[in-house]
Amino acid sequence: MVLHTKIDDGVLLITLDNPPVNALGQGVRAGIMKALDSIDQDSSILAVVITGAGKTFCGGADIKEFGKPPVGPSLPDVLLRLENTRVSVVAAINGVAMGGGLELALSCAHRIADPRAAMALPEVKLGIIPGAGGTQRLPRLVGVKHAAEMITSGRKASAEEALSMGMIDEIIENDLVAYAINLAKGLAGKDRHPPLSAIEKPADWDVQWLDAFEKKIISKARGQLSPVKALEAVRASGEVAFAEGLVREREIFAECMKSDQREGLIHAFFAERAAQKAPVLDGASPREVKLIGILGAGTMGAGIAIACAASGYSVKLFDTNDDALRAGLDRIGKTFDANVAKKRMSADAARDAMARVSPISSLDELNDTDLIIEAVIERMDVKKEIFQALEKIAKPGAVLASNTSYLNIDEIAAATSRPQDIIGMHFFSPANIMRLLEVIQTKKASMDALATAMAVGKKLGKVSVLAGVCDGFIGNRIFKKYRQQAEYLVEDGALPQDVDRVMRAFGFAMGPFQVSDLAGLDIGWHNRRREDATRDPKERYVTIGDSLYDLKRLGQKTGAGWYRYEEGVRIGAPDPVVEDIILAAAKENDITRRKITDDEIRDRILFSMINEGANILEDGIAQRALDIDTVFINGYGFPAYRGGPMFYADQIGLEVVLDGVRRFAQTDDYAWRPSALLVKLVEDKKGFSSQ
Ligand code: T1G
């Protein structure tokens, strides 16, 4: 049963019960229709309450049905009938009401919610738009401005915010359903509240505001269609009658449903969830973690401490240097204060989180922690010493994790006598903001230790991806390849602003040179120095980054890097000094610069990522192609509507990628050695999705 009904003293209680999120699959839609039939047939029913079983009211349409032939009844039809039934209907919103779930609530006459409930029309995040009246009813309920912002962003509103904008009528602290039944009894026999469809147009209708708002979302969408299409549907709520507005909404919905972007975003949605269920960890049981030790109170250590404390963990923070420890605590306190100021967390929550962070002055005090995360200087000798000390202090079963971004954790584990407890947890800076967490599987790590890190990652609100040990794991190993191609392109004839423009047009928030200026050119310089001893002489080496470093042009933090930054301006301007350095480097390497087309820029950047991604799959560093997609969408700004580098490759066809790799290999056969897996998949006429 995906839906239960019960009549209590004239009130029909409908409970959606379709785990895990009460999605409005065909069975649920048919069940609601059947309940509506009973209202028509049974005059003893005087009012209705709809609620959800478990912690969710309703997670919306069943995304697993997308792309399949539709099976009736359709959700718009169900909701239209619900809205016009002869009795009053109360939505008792016991948890998240997302997408069709919120549209269901909007079709009810009254909406009351649990304080922890959240509401959203997140369809644009799936590449579509609300398709069951949300773009027509919500503007009539809360006004076109609130509705346009909610619908084009897809963001959640808390119960408190929903109440303040009029989306719900009341917040009920205790026993929501009992309250709803009593409310419904009070409505029995009285004139029904007029449905939202009876309102001619949104009260705050304002075309000028909509026009200005449209410009903003077009630039923010960076090529994603759904936010712009959603606003087009919202406009109908003030331009045509409700019924016509529903027709328009449905047409736009159908158009988006057919788009590549919907496929990319749905892939990203399911990939993110599948990545956190690494098959190799099936059957493993995470150890209980309540107290986390963090070594190093620098930027990363403090960021990790903030993420852990804000998620409810108690934290012991250690640093060998008292000043660094004090500075770290200060950074943590300031971040919580800023979160309160930005209404990201309440003052109480910030105070409680801060209280969960305890500075310690001796490593021995880590003897009661369940997980220890090391975030100190990237030096192998230092890390080995630390883990040799930790293995004696940490209690049996404690998981010991290094936050290193590239060092060989197998080597660290081999220096200890408890390698089964030693793994990597690679956070991305700022660790309290960036969602991606790479959990690194060392050769001897126990599955329970890895499962523990994945579970902690989930509780931190991270997107955790399992990766194997290699230089750069999944993300940085691929990132290095596309950075190299970006610099090759610039030496061959493009300019930094050309490469960045093309990659922004593809959907990245920033191009590779803007990213380098933001992160700091010193990071790349130190990585190149680290690789000097082992670099293959056949590898093409570009000196431009070194020349900029030597001129102390480290990026935004020094006012100049690949671009020049005027005082207080964050968008860099092309700098003739950089162009001169580029021209000199090309001359030095006997390169005759040439016009590089946008297509060549895009393909060399993307195909270098895809080819390295194939190598990573072949080396077993990533479990599946979807893990690589998840890493790049959540850690490197790859546009989610493209689905990630490997999904994008499948969409354009692996034979297209392989042809490109072979074409580029004519001028650089070292950089463009085709991955054996890529060659095999093309021969077998398969895609990465088969991996
Ligand atoms: N349909 C099908 N499966 C869903 C689903 C959905 N709507 N939402 C979640 N799941 C699966 C998910 O894949 C996972 O499966 C499990 O449920 C737990 O999810 C007409 C057309 C609701 C806030 O965009 O945001 O309505 O991995 O790990 O952290 O206009 O799920 O266990 O096999 O995320 O507690 C709009 C998407 C649909 C909501 C719960 N709705 N879901 O978070 O659990 S389009 C959404 C979420 C629509 C209408 C349009 C979250 C959640 P598995 P989870 P969670």
Side-chain angles (χ1 to χ4, degrees):
M1 275 303 279
V2 290
L3 175 145
H4 309 294
T5 55
K6 186 174 81 165
I7 298 179
D8 166 5
D9 197 9
V11 175
L12 171 67
L13 173 62
I14 300 172
T15 305
L16 308 184
D17 190 3
N18 184 23
V21 297
N22 296 331
L24 294 160
Q26 194 279 335
V28 177
R29 301 195 302 273
I32 296 172
M33 277 302 213
K34 196 157 170 278
L36 291 168
D37 289 342
S38 66
I39 296 168
D40 293 346
Q41 291 148 13
D42 180 349
S43 57
S44 72
I45 295 173
L46 305 173
V48 177
V49 170
I50 289 187
T51 194
K55 67 178 174 65
T56 305
F57 174 70
C58 175
D62 185 340
I63 302 173
K64 296 186 179 76
E65 289 182 353
F66 288 2
K68 295 176 186 158
V71 180
S74 78
L75 190 57
D77 290 348
V78 171
L79 300 190
L80 209 50
R81 189 171 169 205
L82 173 67
E83 183 179 56
N84 293 294
T85 187
R86 65 181 175 79
V87 296
S88 292
V89 183
V90 177
I93 306 171
N94 58 299
V96 284
M98 311 272 286
L102 178 53
E103 291 174 303
L104 170 64
L106 293 173
S107 301
C108 299
H110 301 271
R111 285 160 293 282
I112 63 176
D114 178 288
R116 290 176 302 281
M119 279 130 260
L121 290 177
E123 288 84 345
V124 293
K125 294 181 176 179
L126 300 174
I128 51 178
I129 69 164
T135 64
Q136 307 305 305
R137 292 191 175 94
L138 191 62
R140 285 174 165 82
L141 179 63
V142 303
V144 74
K145 294 172 185 168
H146 278 316
E149 191 276 324
M150 287 283 296
I151 291 170
T152 56
S153 66
R155 74 173 179 82
K156 279 183 189 160
S158 67
E160 210 174 303
E161 185 185 2
L163 183 67
S164 69
M165 69 166 83
M167 198 187 294
I168 58 174
D169 307 311
E170 280 182 88
I171 292 177
I172 306 302
E173 291 284 343
N174 304 304
D175 206 339
L176 177 72
V177 174
Y179 185 93
I181 289 174
N182 276 329
L183 174 63
K185 282 179 183 163
L187 295 167
K190 291 185 180 142
D191 289 348
R192 270 184 338 119
H193 201 268
L196 292 171
S197 53
I199 298 170
E200 191 205 347
K201 66 195 295 188
D204 63 343
W205 185 254
D206 179 340
V207 176
Q208 286 69 32
W209 182 88
L210 280 165
D211 292 346
F213 184 68
E214 183 171 8
K215 287 191 179 65
K216 264 193 263 174
I217 56 163
I218 287 173
S219 78
K220 209 169 143 205
R222 286 200 304 276
Q224 186 175 336
L225 297 169
S226 51
V228 185
K229 301 304 280 181
L231 189 65
E232 194 182 313
V234 167
R235 279 181 183 274
S237 69
E239 292 171 347
V240 295
F242 181 81
E244 171 59 23
L246 284 185
V247 170
R248 280 231 201 133
E249 176 191 82
R250 206 73 201 151
E251 285 164 357
I252 295 168
F253 174 85
E255 182 191 342
C256 293
M257 190 54 99
K258 285 201 291 282
S259 72
D260 281 353
Q261 293 191 5
R262 187 269 302 164
E263 282 183 39
L265 284 161
I266 298 283
H267 167 74
F269 173 85
F270 286 118
E272 182 183 309
R273 286 156 178 82
Q276 303 184 81
K277 293 191 184 74
V280 75
L281 299 182
D282 283 352
S285 41
R287 297 167 193 163
E288 186 179 27
V289 175
K290 287 198 176 115
L291 178 58
I292 297 177
I294 294 172
L295 269 67
T299 310
M300 286 309 288
I304 297 168
I306 292 165
C308 293
S311 304
Y313 290 109
S314 295
V315 172
K316 284 186 172 180
L317 183 63
F318 173 82
D319 199 294
T320 47
N321 174 317
D322 288 346
D323 291 344
L325 186 53
R326 255 193 304 281
L329 286 168
D330 187 44
R331 183 198 306 263
I332 294 168
K334 286 201 168 86
T335 303
F336 285 135
D337 294 345
N339 287 347
V340 175
K342 292 175 194 157
K343 299 198 182 325
R344 282 197 192 134
M345 65 196 312
S346 69
D348 289 352
R351 188 200 57 241
D352 294 347
M354 195 63 211
R356 285 195 283 270
V357 181
S358 318
I360 56 173
S361 53
S362 149
L363 275 183
D364 292 335
E365 294 177 71
L366 293 171
N367 61 357
D368 58 350
T369 53
D370 306 305
L371 164 66
I372 299 174
I373 303 172
E374 166 271 315
V376 303
I377 187 169
E378 289 282 44
R379 275 187 32 201
M380 181 58 85
D381 56 342
V382 171
K383 292 190 191 286
K384 280 183 180 172
E385 257 175 59
I386 286 176
F387 279 85
Q388 283 162 345
L390 287 178
E391 70 163 329
K392 297 184 183 65
I393 296 165
K395 68 182 184 185
V399 176
L400 311 179
S402 171
N403 171 60
T404 182
S405 55
Y406 60 81
L407 290 177
N408 185 324
I409 310 170
D410 279 329
E411 199 181 317
I412 297 171
T416 74
S417 59
R418 57 193 281 190
Q420 71 281 6
D421 293 332
I422 295 177
I423 61 170
M425 289 180 81
H426 178 216
F427 291 83
F428 286 71
S429 187
N432 52 308
I433 303 280
M434 291 298 285
R435 290 190 71 214
L436 182 62
L437 169 66
E438 285 179 314
V439 174
I440 311 306
Q441 179 177 4
T442 48
K443 284 193 181 62
K444 296 193 175 158
S446 75
M447 294 301 119
D448 289 358
L450 292 163
T452 303
M454 296 293 274
V456 168
K458 186 160 173 78
K459 185 166 178 195
L460 296 179
K462 301 292 180 187
V463 178
S464 312
V465 181
L466 196 64
V469 173
C470 72
D471 191 327
F473 313 131
I474 297 175
N476 284 342
R477 175 169 155 181
I478 293 178
F479 181 73
K480 175 184 163 186
K481 292 295 180 190
Y482 92 68
R483 268 228 57 80
Q484 264 177 348
Q485 272 310 313
E487 295 188 15
Y488 294 165
L489 279 159
V490 154
E491 205 173 47
D492 289 346
L495 288 172
Q497 54 270 34
D498 299 325
V499 176
D500 286 351
R501 170 180 51 77
V502 170
M503 298 323 289
R504 282 198 308 273
F506 180 76
F508 281 86
M510 290 194 284
F513 295 102
Q514 290 170 287
V515 170
S516 183
D517 273 0
L518 178 66
L521 275 70
D522 40 333
I523 295 177
W525 187 87
H526 285 295
N527 281 338
R528 290 192 297 275
R529 296 298 68 83
R530 180 170 60 82
E531 293 157 358
D532 282 343
T534 54
R535 183 175 298 111
D536 189 319
K538 292 198 289 296
E539 180 181 305
R540 177 179 172 186
Y541 188 79
V542 175
T543 59
I544 301 166
D546 295 344
S547 308
L548 293 173
Y549 178 85
D550 293 344
L551 291 172
K552 303 207 178 333
R553 293 176 65 109
L554 306 186
Q556 288 190 23
K557 61 188 172 188
T558 58
W562 290 96
Y563 297 98
R564 189 183 68 255
Y565 297 85
E566 298 307 335
E567 189 61 34
V569 177
R570 284 175 66 84
I571 308 285
D575 187 341
V577 169
V578 174
E579 190 164 342
D580 291 346
I581 292 171
I582 291 167
L583 297 178
K587 193 155 177 269
E588 174 79 19
N589 292 312
D590 295 330
I591 290 169
T592 309
R593 288 171 62 79
R594 60 184 172 81
K595 167 94 181 102
I596 309 270
T597 64
D598 288 2
D599 284 357
E600 181 177 348
I601 292 174
R602 182 201 60 225
D603 290 350
R604 280 174 60 177
I605 296 274
L606 293 173
F607 292 2
S608 65
M609 295 171 74
I610 295 162
N611 194 52
E612 194 58 21
N615 288 333
I616 282 178
L617 284 171
E618 213 177 330
D619 295 351
I621 298 298
Q623 306 259 319
R624 299 150 296 181
L626 63 86
D627 294 297
I628 297 171
D629 289 334
T630 302
V631 164
F632 268 82
I633 289 168
N634 291 285
Y636 295 81
F638 197 97
Y641 68 80
R642 301 279 189 179
M646 312 311 272
F647 184 86
Y648 170 75
D650 282 351
Q651 273 196 331
I652 64 174
L654 297 195
E655 64 288 350
V656 170
V657 176
L658 184 56
D659 287 350
V661 168
R662 287 180 168 148
R663 189 168 64 252
F664 300 138
Q666 286 162 21
T667 48
D668 183 343
D669 57 4
Y670 180 80
W672 291 103
R673 288 159 290 163
S675 147
L677 175 63
L678 177 60
V679 173
K680 178 144 182 11
L681 288 172
V682 171
E683 281 164 6
D684 298 349
K685 297 196 181 336
K686 283 185 182 166
F688 285 122
S689 58
S690 65
Q691 291 306 300

